[in-house]
């Protein structure tokens, strides 16, 4: 009996079993939420229990054909390449170049698992590659508004953007987002023509640039090995792969992710204690500019801004240095919009207010009742955790527990020391991993803020680095077999999800 208990305990502690238990928990939550939505008619925005796999904004759709073979070959080949080559023995520059190519191959092959979709164009039904299908919904997507920019010109388009006579004629997503997405596709069409192929491929190419800040950020925070692990996991994170190839949320993620990397560059390069306030701080200004460009494409960039402020509050011993970075970043952010207003007359606050009102008309505010508030908040959180993948969620939770335990042990010893030195331990908590805990605080804040109404498995994909980097950090302390268990199950979840779910993008 004792040996049996030991075997059971050992099995429960293994990563595959814990991932299975976590998946079971989400299945039970799905059944619970389905029942609640059916019996109480709780409103979760665009998610409907009659047709969606709640809490995901996805329909059940079994799409299995020969198109799955290229995706399997690419994903398995990528894991083999990592095992033999990428995790060691290759220079940083070559690593990033190979990662860029792998990004394109994985995203395109996975997006094409569904093969073709039948759509109606000009009154006739036609078959189109699933990679291109989302941009055919011109009444909903930014792609449909590109001709309006041609018609009005950039200056007039931005000047009149929030005015009802223009705003009310734009596509659905353009009216709930800033104008950056439309202008991005307008520039693409100017370079490569106004067609679905160029729009889709440039979407993926531009988003592939994220491999650079992902690797550099992981390397700067925790070392080269963590950077390589993080890059491997990032390239096969389910929601990032599934939505980047067919959604503008891919390009939207580039500047928020870049902003986090630039902030840490500014922190390490420009926070020398004896520096004076008026010294030029290029990385701080670039952080602000990157945040401004991110906010010009998606209002969700506010998450990164809040995270940076939380970091400054957590690391209070360096608060003055952080404050300098944040103030210079704020000047870059404000300067961008001030210059935009002078050149075009674009009014960002009016555009934001118009977007909020448009979104509330379709989705509600999120706080109509206590029940809706809590169901919407937890559904947002769980939908995103499912999207980043069961393995990543599990190891991320493990890392949070590990960080909190380490902090608790440190604070206990510091409290004893402070009793002797009369220096409060709370001002000496440098052992706290602010990147992990700062994001946890930020995530919980926005989870319960009612600012987002579902679909976050797609909308929040710029948050993926906050998961894969801590997960990579945790896995570097474990046997390498744990990394391949996590990566293998991630690939399995990615392929199965693409086969079984229709995610609109």
């Amino acid at each position: 009996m004792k040996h049996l208990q030991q075997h059971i305990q050992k099995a429960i502690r293994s990563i595959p079993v814990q991932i299975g238990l976590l998946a079971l928990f989400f299945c039970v939550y799905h059944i619970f939420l389905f029942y609640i939505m059916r019996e109480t008619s709780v409103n979760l925005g665009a998610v409907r229990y009659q047709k969606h796999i709640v809490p995901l904004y996805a329909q059940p759709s079994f799409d299995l054909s020969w198109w799955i073979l290229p995706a399997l070959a690419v994903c398995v080949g990528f894991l083999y390449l990592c095992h033999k080559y990428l995790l060691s023995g290759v220079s940083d520059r070559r690593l990033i170049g190979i990662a860029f190519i792998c990004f394109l191959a994985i995203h395109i092959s996975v997006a094409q698992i569904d093969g073709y979709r039948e759509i109606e164009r000009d009154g006739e039904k036609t078959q189109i590659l699933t990679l291109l299908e989302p941009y055919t919904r011109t009444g909903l997507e930014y792609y449909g508004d590109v001709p309006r920019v041609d018609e009005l010109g950039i200056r007039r388009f931005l000047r009149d953007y929030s005015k009802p006579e223009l705003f009310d004629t734009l596509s659905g997503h353009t009216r709930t987002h800033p104008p950056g997405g439309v202008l991005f596709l307008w520039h693409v069409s100017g370079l490569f023509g106004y067609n679905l192929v160029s729009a889709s491929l440039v979407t993926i190419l531009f988003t592939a640039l994220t491999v650079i800040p992902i690797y550099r950020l992981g390397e700067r925070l925790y070392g080269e090995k963590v950077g390589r692990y993080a890059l491997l996991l990032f390239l096969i994170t389910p929601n990032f792969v599934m939505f980047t190839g067919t959604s503008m949320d891919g390009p939207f993620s580039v500047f928020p992710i870049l902003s986090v990397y630039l902030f840490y560059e500014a922190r390490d390069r420009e926070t020398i204690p004896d520096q004076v306030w008026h010294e030029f701080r290029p990385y701080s200004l670039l952080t602000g500019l990157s945040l401004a460009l991110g906010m010009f494409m998606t209002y969700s960039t506010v998450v990164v801004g809040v995270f940076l402020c939380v970091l400054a509050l957590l690391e209070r011993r360096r608060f003055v240095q952080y404050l300098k970075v944040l103030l210079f970043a704020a000047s870059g952010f404000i300067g961008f919009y001030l210059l935009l207003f002078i050149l075009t007359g674009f009014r960002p606050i009016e555009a934001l207010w118009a977007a909020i009102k448009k979104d509330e008309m379709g989705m509600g505010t999120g706080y109509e009742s206590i029940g809706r508030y809590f169901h919407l908040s937890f559904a947002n959180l769980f939908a995103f955790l499912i999207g980043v993948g069961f393995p990543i969620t599990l190891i991320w939770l493990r890392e949070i527990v590990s960080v909190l335990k380490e902090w608790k042990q440190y604070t206990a010893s510091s409290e004893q020391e402070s009793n002797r030195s009369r220096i409060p331990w709370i001002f000496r908590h440098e052992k706290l991993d602010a990147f992990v805990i700062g994001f946890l605080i930020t995530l919980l804040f926005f989870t319960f803020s009612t600012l987002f109404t579902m679909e976050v498995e797609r909308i929040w994909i710029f948050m993926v680095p906050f998961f894969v980097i801590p997960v990579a950090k945790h896995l570097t302390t474990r046997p390498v077999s744990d990394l391949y268990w996590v990566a293998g199950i991630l690939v399995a979840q990615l392929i199965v999800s693409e086969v079984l779910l229709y995610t609109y993008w």
Side-chain angles (χ1 to χ4, degrees):
M1 181 63 70
K2 185 178 180 180
H3 291 295
L4 178 61
Q5 290 177 342
Q6 290 176 345
H7 284 303
I8 292 174
Q9 291 175 355
K10 184 178 180 181
I12 291 176
R13 287 196 297 266
S14 69
I15 283 182
V17 172
Q18 289 186 353
I19 292 172
L21 291 174
L22 183 64
L24 179 61
F25 167 78
F26 283 125
C27 288
V28 172
Y29 174 73
H30 158 72
I31 295 170
F32 167 76
L33 185 60
F34 176 86
Y35 174 80
I36 291 294
M37 293 182 71
R38 186 186 66 185
E39 298 300 321
T40 65
S41 301
V42 64
N43 177 10
L44 294 187
V47 176
R48 300 284 186 266
Y49 76 89
Q50 297 94 335
K51 62 178 182 177
H52 294 136
I53 307 295
V54 295
L56 302 177
Y57 186 55
Q59 294 183 22
S61 177
F62 185 73
D63 295 295
L64 183 61
S65 67
W66 294 109
W67 283 98
I68 196 174
L69 297 180
L72 284 171
V74 167
C75 290
V76 172
F78 170 70
L79 294 180
Y80 179 79
L81 187 66
C82 290
H83 174 66
K84 288 292 186 180
Y85 192 58
L86 295 184
L87 292 181
S88 61
V90 60
S91 66
D92 287 0
R93 182 174 297 181
R94 185 169 295 180
L95 171 71
I96 290 173
I98 295 172
F100 189 91
I101 296 171
C102 290
F103 185 101
L104 302 180
I106 292 170
H107 286 240
I108 292 173
S109 62
V110 170
Q112 271 306 120
I113 286 178
D114 295 341
Y116 288 86
R117 290 282 179 187
E118 187 177 84
I119 64 168
E120 187 171 328
R121 302 181 70 179
D122 301 325
E124 295 183 0
K125 291 185 177 181
T126 182
Q127 296 280 331
I128 192 166
L129 292 171
T130 53
L131 183 67
L132 309 179
E133 181 208 1
Y135 288 149
T136 64
R137 301 193 293 264
T138 53
L140 184 65
E141 299 295 340
Y142 317 91
Y143 180 80
D145 294 320
V146 170
R148 296 305 306 276
V149 184
D150 270 330
E151 175 189 342
L152 300 174
I154 290 182
R155 186 173 182 180
R156 185 180 169 191
F157 181 80
L158 290 175
R159 185 194 66 195
D160 298 340
Y161 182 77
S162 56
K163 295 180 180 178
E165 52 267 28
L166 174 60
F167 188 82
D168 292 342
T169 65
L170 299 174
S171 64
H173 281 161
T174 302
R175 284 184 284 168
T176 55
H177 289 74
V182 178
L183 295 184
F184 174 86
L185 291 175
W186 178 77
H187 283 294
V188 169
S189 68
L191 292 171
F192 305 104
Y194 182 59
N195 59 79
L196 296 173
V197 174
S198 65
S200 181
L201 292 182
V202 174
T203 293
I204 302 172
L205 281 166
F206 185 73
T207 310
L209 295 174
T210 52
V211 301
I212 303 172
I214 291 286
Y215 172 69
R216 293 301 182 191
L217 180 59
E219 181 187 41
R220 175 162 290 282
L221 288 172
Y222 304 114
E224 179 185 349
K225 187 175 182 180
V226 172
R228 289 174 183 262
Y229 274 39
L231 191 56
L232 182 161
L233 297 171
F234 172 70
L235 290 172
I236 51 176
T237 301
N239 63 341
F240 208 95
V241 174
M242 292 174 69
F243 294 110
T244 292
T246 55
S247 168
M248 275 298 292
D249 286 281
F252 289 174
S253 69
V254 174
F255 291 112
I257 293 173
L258 179 62
S259 300
V260 179
Y261 166 68
L262 289 171
F263 177 83
Y264 276 96
E265 283 288 319
R267 185 198 71 169
D268 292 346
R269 293 172 181 258
E270 301 172 357
T271 58
I272 301 172
D274 60 353
Q275 276 186 321
V276 295
W277 284 82
H278 63 267
E279 286 187 0
F280 181 61
R281 300 171 183 271
Y283 283 98
S284 299
L285 290 173
L286 287 173
T287 300
L289 179 60
S290 183
L291 284 170
L293 289 168
M295 190 70 77
F296 192 57
M297 299 184 83
T298 173
Y299 295 120
S300 300
T301 305
V302 68
V303 174
V304 174
V306 171
F307 167 73
L308 300 184
C309 294
V310 170
L311 271 183
L313 294 175
L314 286 177
E315 299 192 43
R316 281 172 290 190
R317 294 186 63 161
R318 304 174 65 180
F319 180 76
V320 174
Q321 285 74 35
Y322 274 110
L323 184 60
K324 293 176 183 179
V325 174
L326 290 173
L327 288 176
F328 274 83
S331 66
F333 182 91
I334 295 170
F336 171 83
Y337 280 102
L338 182 61
L339 181 62
L340 195 63
F341 173 75
I342 292 172
L343 295 177
T344 68
F346 175 67
R347 294 172 172 80
I349 296 177
E350 289 184 10
L352 171 62
W353 185 248
I356 291 173
K357 294 292 107 180
K358 170 64 174 65
D359 187 67
E360 289 182 352
M361 285 176 59
M363 303 295 184
T365 63
Y367 48 81
E368 287 80 1
S369 68
I370 295 295
R372 185 179 189 230
Y373 170 76
F374 281 107
H375 282 300
L376 189 61
S377 298
F378 282 107
N380 272 335
L381 177 62
F382 291 154
F384 184 69
L385 294 180
I386 293 170
V388 297
F390 303 134
I392 286 179
T393 297
L394 172 69
I395 306 301
W396 179 70
L397 292 173
R398 277 186 169 191
E399 178 62 13
I400 289 174
V401 172
S402 176
V403 167
L404 291 176
K405 282 182 177 179
E406 182 181 353
W407 186 43
K408 184 179 179 181
Q409 293 172 356
Y410 175 78
T411 53
S413 61
S414 295
E415 191 172 7
Q416 294 175 358
E417 185 179 340
S418 67
N419 291 333
R420 296 190 298 268
S421 64
R422 297 182 181 180
I423 300 174
W425 64 266
I426 198 169
F427 293 107
R428 299 184 293 113
H429 56 275
E430 61 269 10
K431 288 292 184 181
L432 177 67
D433 191 330
F435 182 79
V436 174
I437 301 303
F439 173 69
L440 176 62
I441 294 170
T442 305
L443 177 64
L444 292 177
F445 170 76
F446 281 100
T447 294
F448 294 96
S449 68
T450 73
L451 293 175
F452 296 92
T453 312
M454 304 307 294
E455 304 181 55
V456 294
E457 62 269 28
R458 172 178 59 89
I459 298 169
W460 285 356
I461 61 174
F462 65 90
M463 295 187 190
V464 166
F466 294 105
F467 283 81
V468 297
I469 292 175
V471 167
K473 174 196 170 189
H474 189 87
L475 289 174
T476 55
T477 65
R478 308 283 300 175
V480 71
S481 59
D482 284 1
L483 171 66
Y484 289 111
W485 271 116
V486 168
I489 298 174
L490 274 177
V491 167
Q493 180 181 341
L494 170 62
I495 299 296
V496 170
S497 297
E498 190 65 38
V499 169
L500 298 181
L501 300 177
Y502 174 62
T503 57
Y504 302 95
W505 294 278

